[in-house]
Every structure is written in C-alpha cells, then in structure tokens.
Amino acid sequence: MTDRQNDAPGGPRNSETRAWSLYGEELSPGAQVGGYVVEGTRYRGSVSTLYRAKDARSGTPAALKVMHPQFAAARSALRRFQQEAETLKRLRHRHIVDVLEHGTLADGRPFIAMEWLEGRDLAAELAARGPFSAREALELLEQVGSALRAAHGAGVVHRDLKAQNVVVLAGEAGPRVKLVDFGVAKLLAPEEPGSAMMTSTGMVLGTPLSMAPEQIRGETPDARTDLYGLGVLLYQLVTGQPPFQGTTQIELEEQHLHAPVPRASERAPVPAALDAVVGRCLEKKREDRYPDVDAVLEDLRRAVRGEKQGRATQVRALGLYVEARMGVLVDDATLDAVDALMEHVRERADAVGLRVMVEGSSFLLGVTALPDEADAEREARRRVLELALALAEEPARGEGTARVSLSPTLHVDTATLRPDASGRPALGGGRLLRLSAWTGDHPGRGVVVTETALEGLEDTFQVEVLPGREGLRHVTRNEA
C-alpha cells in the first residue's frame, strides 16, 4: 500500500480498516503470520483455510493453515492444537510434512506453517489416472505406513487418513508421498461444555467417507483408527472409489457402522487375498483389527506378491532414546549446538550397533535386537547402558540459559523382525517403538532405565527409584 493510495480523496484510511483488509476472516496477500507473509489463498476447507506463503527473511515458500474463527473459540481445541503442532514440529520423517512454526493470530486463531509441497494429493492422482495396480498401491502404502509407524511411535494419531491427505511428489526413483493434516479431528473433539453439538458433523470427527466406527460413536481415536483409514485408502487406490458411498452423511455413517465390507477383487483385477487385508482393517470393532501398521503391511505384501515365506517374528530388542534438553533461551547458537550434539549421538549409536528408527530435530531412538544367550544379552544391555551414561555425562554446550545437555532413556521390549527388500532380517515396529509408553519426565542427570533393561545390572551401577514413576530407575555410575 503506497502513500499515494493513503492520500486519495476522502482522507487516509483508518488503520483498523487496513488491518481488517489483511487480517479478516480470510487473510489477504501481504498479511504477516509469524515469520511468514501470505501470498494467496489455495484451499478453503470446512475447518481451516490453506494459504501459500513465503518466509519473510529467505523467501522460501511455505504452506500456512489457519483455523476458522468458529473452531478457535474452544480453549481445549487451542491447547490440543498447540500440543499436537509442537509434537509434529519435533517429528522429522521423510514421509511426513515438516512443520516449521505454529502459533496464534491476534484474534486467537491458531496457525501452522509447513513446508510447501509441489505435487498433488492421491485423490487428484486417482481422478487423473484411474485406479492403481495392487503392486503400485503397495509401494505407496509402504511409505504411508512408514509415516504412521513413526507418528504412532511418538504417540501421535493422524485421525483423518484419506487420499486427500497424502501428497504425491515426483522423484527419480518413483513417486514419493508425504502425509499431511495431522490432528484436525482430535483438535475439534468436543471437550468443552456445550460443544457436543459439533459431533453431528463429519468435519469434527474425521472425513465421512473414511471415518472409523469409533469416531462416529464419539469415542477417543487411537492408532487402530488410522488402520481403518489405511484400509479405506487401500480399497480406494485399487478400485478408484471408497468402499462405502451414500447420498447423505447418515447413510454413510450407517454403512461404516453396520454394512459388510465389499470385496475389492470384485471391482478390480487384484488378488483375492487383498480382500482379507481390507476386511481386517475395516473391522467394526477396533480390537478385531490389526494390532499395528507393520502387521497390515506384512499381510499386504504377502497378498500382493504371493509371498509364502519370510513372516515377521517378534524379538526382544533394546531401545535407547536420547533427547537434547534446552535451556530457557533458544536462539540460533542453541539450535546449532543441538544439531551438533544429535549428530554426535548418531555416530556413537551406530558404533555400538544401534539402528536409528525414529528421529526428530532434538531426539532420536536407536534400536538393536538382543541375543538369545543370557550372558550375551546382558552384556549387550550393559554396553548400551555405558554409552547412555557417557552421553549423559557429555559437557553441556552453550552458555547460561542457552545450555544444551543430553537425557537418555533405556528400555527393553518386543520389536518386529522381518526380511527387508534384500532378504536380510531387519527391525521394524512393535511395542518398543511406542515411545509414549516409556519415555517422559527425565530428572536431567544420569540415565532413566526401565526394569526390563536394568535386570541383572543393578550391582554394576548406582541405582535409585524414581518417585512416582513405577518401573523406572535412575542410574548413574558407582562412585569410586
């Protein structure tokens, strides 16, 4: 806006009028949101509006999602939005959209700034090219499953898995996908008094074409809710249409709740074994579905490839979770220190045979299968515990309130062992990757170790019980 425009007949425009033109219910080009400047509107959804924006300093394009005012009024919605956005900001995965920043506008509307993806979603791909073959669908769902595995391991449930939320990017080695729009339904779950009326609309609990029965009933979604969405997506990829369709939302909900699952093999040239995978994903009771995404992919691979051998097995595995703890002040120097520390952790983890399974900007999880022989198993745990102690004893980097230190946690649980693409055994999912079950508050010194990881090593180290944390121990080195 130029001075000449302000000097137009009628006098200078009121600053509030100018602000409303930029920051009304729909943001106009030039509006500043956090560190980003709006360039234009790209999509108007029922819950939020998506804008193309650019970084105010670097000019790098970004996607900016701003929630509509009517949904931003609930305090619980804002709280959950902020918690979810912060978790996703820390969760870095090649098949999950990167969250760059989150916050609220002056009027309280929350926003999330994400990386800009040059591509189109799977719904658009289907419309443009028609159904995928079973093998093509498997290649895509391997990537979607990898994203879900990482999210579920960090305690995040997507809740709105559908073709529109999977973006396809062109790549030299074939199409690569990224999962977007985490947590929209959770964000709008009715916890505030008087908000129960919102449950009558699909935009609150999910997308009507892919809503799991528990979402329709108003129950709390969990990881198995995403497996229902994965089954809907699989069916839609190979047939070109969702399994349940109707002219009204009530009709759709009734089908999700009560109708038998149609057979994909009756509508597309796919193996009949694929029907069983879709059917188990779409079980009405979540306890009848697959236990996790790895089990879905295992059966899907066999159905598509006709595999008879190489079933996954459950093994005992050791997990080392290391988080970089930052002081009150976080600036560029602090973030550089975090990057350097985490790179150091990766190198040390690799040196003792740990494979990094989950990684974020300030944390990682390294995993290794444990030997069957008791002495060798105990020695493997001791060796990794020694590494954890060495990491905890690393001098804090940075100065004053910007200091950064490492907080390791050690746990033993089951993990999935299956052949990789070359036929060699490789670790996948399992209970060990459910980080929310065994990571949490850390005292800030030493190592937190679960009873299963410490068994037989109690006399080797200084061990204290963590107050109020059943099954967790605080371990430091024995004093000489």
Side-chain angles (χ1 to χ4, degrees):
M1 183 177 297
T2 65
D3 290 338
R4 184 179 300 276
Q5 289 172 310
N6 284 334
D7 293 335
R13 282 182 284 181
N14 183 279
S15 61
E16 291 184 1
T17 302
R18 294 199 304 272
W20 177 252
S21 69
L22 288 178
Y23 300 96
E25 181 165 337
E26 184 167 307
L27 302 178
S28 298
Q32 180 97 21
V33 178
Y36 298 87
V37 178
V38 172
E39 293 186 323
T41 303
R42 286 306 173 99
Y43 176 75
R44 299 174 183 87
S46 57
V47 173
S48 60
T49 300
L50 182 70
Y51 302 90
R52 181 183 170 101
K54 65 179 180 180
D55 188 293
R57 293 177 296 180
S58 68
T60 303
L64 190 67
K65 178 168 290 188
V66 181
M67 183 178 289
H68 296 328
Q70 62 266 36
F71 298 119
R75 290 189 302 274
S76 61
L78 290 174
R79 183 177 65 253
R80 286 192 297 272
F81 183 94
Q82 292 161 351
Q83 292 171 345
E84 187 100 3
E86 185 59 35
T87 299
L88 288 173
K89 188 177 179 182
R90 296 173 56 198
L91 185 62
R92 292 287 185 264
H93 190 277
R94 69 188 305 266
H95 296 303
I96 297 177
V97 64
D98 287 340
V99 171
L100 308 173
E101 183 182 340
H102 65 89
T104 57
L105 301 182
D107 61 7
R109 282 179 287 171
F111 72 85
I112 297 181
M114 300 165 286
E115 64 174 321
W116 181 262
L117 301 177
E118 289 292 348
R120 60 185 180 186
D121 61 50
L122 274 178
E125 284 285 316
L126 279 167
R129 54 152 286 171
F132 291 76
S133 70
R135 286 187 176 273
E136 289 173 325
L138 172 61
E139 291 174 3
L140 292 173
L141 293 188
E142 290 275 14
Q143 300 178 53
V144 174
S146 176
L148 288 178
R149 183 188 304 121
H152 293 170
V156 178
V157 181
H158 190 283
R159 296 170 176 83
D160 196 20
L161 183 61
K162 59 183 179 180
Q164 290 87 344
N165 284 338
V166 181
V167 177
V168 184
L169 310 172
E172 295 181 0
R176 183 166 67 93
V177 306
K178 285 220 175 192
L179 198 53
V180 302
D181 273 8
F182 276 80
V184 172
K186 173 189 178 184
L187 167 65
L188 299 174
E191 287 187 2
E192 294 287 333
S195 63
M197 54 180 279
M198 297 172 64
T199 61
S200 64
T201 66
M203 63 185 174
V204 172
L205 298 175
T207 301
L209 285 173
S210 57
M211 278 193 300
E214 60 269 20
Q215 290 177 290
I216 296 170
R217 293 191 294 263
E219 299 167 1
T220 302
D222 63 17
R224 294 166 296 182
T225 303
D226 285 345
L227 302 188
Y228 191 94
L230 197 64
V232 171
L233 182 58
L234 171 58
Y235 186 97
Q236 188 174 0
L237 285 175
V238 297
T239 68
Q241 54 189 302
F244 302 121
Q245 301 180 69
T247 57
T248 67
Q249 180 171 320
I250 293 176
E251 186 178 345
L252 271 172
E253 290 179 351
E254 283 298 311
Q255 291 183 66
H256 282 293
L257 288 169
H258 305 297
V261 180
R263 294 181 179 275
S265 62
E266 294 179 354
R267 298 185 181 180
V270 297
L274 188 142
D275 294 332
V277 179
V278 173
R280 188 171 176 188
C281 285
L282 299 187
E283 287 285 356
K284 309 303 182 187
K285 297 180 180 178
R286 64 179 104 187
E287 57 267 25
D288 293 333
R289 296 174 205 153
Y290 287 98
D292 53 41
V293 69
D294 287 307
V296 177
L297 293 176
E298 178 190 345
D299 274 4
L300 182 58
R301 293 185 196 106
R302 290 205 305 273
V304 172
R305 300 170 181 167
E307 296 175 351
K308 302 296 184 183
Q309 305 297 326
R311 282 188 62 89
T313 57
Q314 295 294 308
V315 298
R316 290 183 80 243
L318 177 66
L320 173 63
Y321 176 85
V322 183
E323 182 175 3
R325 296 294 182 94
M326 290 168 271
V328 177
L329 175 65
V330 178
D331 54 16
D332 289 342
T334 307
L335 297 177
D336 288 342
V338 170
D339 290 342
L341 268 175
M342 296 314 297
E343 181 59 34
H344 174 65
V345 173
R346 290 186 205 97
E347 293 173 356
R348 296 292 299 274
D350 183 67
V352 297
L354 293 171
R355 177 191 173 194
V356 175
M357 299 286 292
V358 179
E359 185 174 9
S361 58
S362 61
F363 71 93
L364 64 77
L365 170 69
V367 176
T368 185
L370 290 170
D372 293 329
E373 199 275 324
D375 289 342
E377 190 264 5
R378 186 166 53 252
E379 174 58 24
R381 287 188 286 112
R382 186 201 62 77
R383 184 170 63 252
V384 177
L385 180 50
E386 287 282 2
L387 167 62
L389 286 166
L391 293 174
E393 293 164 357
E394 290 273 345
R397 306 192 184 189
E399 300 293 336
T401 56
R403 292 170 69 82
V404 181
S405 59
L406 296 173
S407 298
T409 304
L410 211 60
H411 181 48
V412 169
D413 211 325
T414 57
T416 304
L417 189 68
R418 65 166 47 85
D420 61 15
S422 64
R424 294 189 297 268
L427 283 171
R431 290 202 307 262
L432 185 61
L433 267 68
R434 299 171 188 170
L435 298 180
S436 58
W438 57 276
T439 62
D441 294 336
H442 193 288
R445 60 183 181 86
V447 180
V448 172
V449 185
T450 63
E451 290 178 333
T452 53
L454 187 61
E455 184 179 2
L457 300 175
E458 294 88 348
D459 295 337
T460 312
F461 304 96
Q462 186 74 30
V463 180
E464 301 174 357
V465 175
L466 278 176
R469 300 298 303 278
E470 185 178 356
L472 296 181
R473 301 291 182 265
H474 179 238
V475 176
T476 54
R477 295 189 191 276
N478 279 327
E479 297 181 2

